Amino acid sequence: MKIVYYLGLLLGIAMFTASWLIRRKQITEGPLARAEKPLMLGGAAVTLAFALLGFATI
């Protein structure tokens, strides 16, 4: 179960970081620009969900 917890956290952090990089590079056109908000929200949601799952299994 711990491996799922850590992989979920890493996935969420990677999604959130990708969103941050898109914003930092100020990409305003194309598919990356449209992906910024879903990546940010999805990354935050995945990180929160797996963090709560990890705390629930302690």
Side-chain angles (χ1 to χ4, degrees):
M1 189 66 179
K2 278 198 178 255
I3 189 77
V4 173
Y5 166 65
Y6 287 120
L7 286 175
L9 284 178
L10 288 175
L11 175 67
I13 291 168
M15 290 171 67
F16 197 78
T17 302
S19 167
W20 177 77
L21 287 173
I22 291 170
R23 180 169 288 200
R24 180 167 179 194
K25 293 195 181 280
Q26 298 178 348
I27 297 172
T28 58
E29 296 178 5
L32 285 179
R34 290 189 300 273
E36 179 200 354
K37 190 161 219 143
L39 275 173
M40 184 182 299
L41 295 175
V46 167
T47 303
L48 178 64
F50 278 92
L52 291 175
L53 180 66
F55 286 129
T57 59
I58 292 178

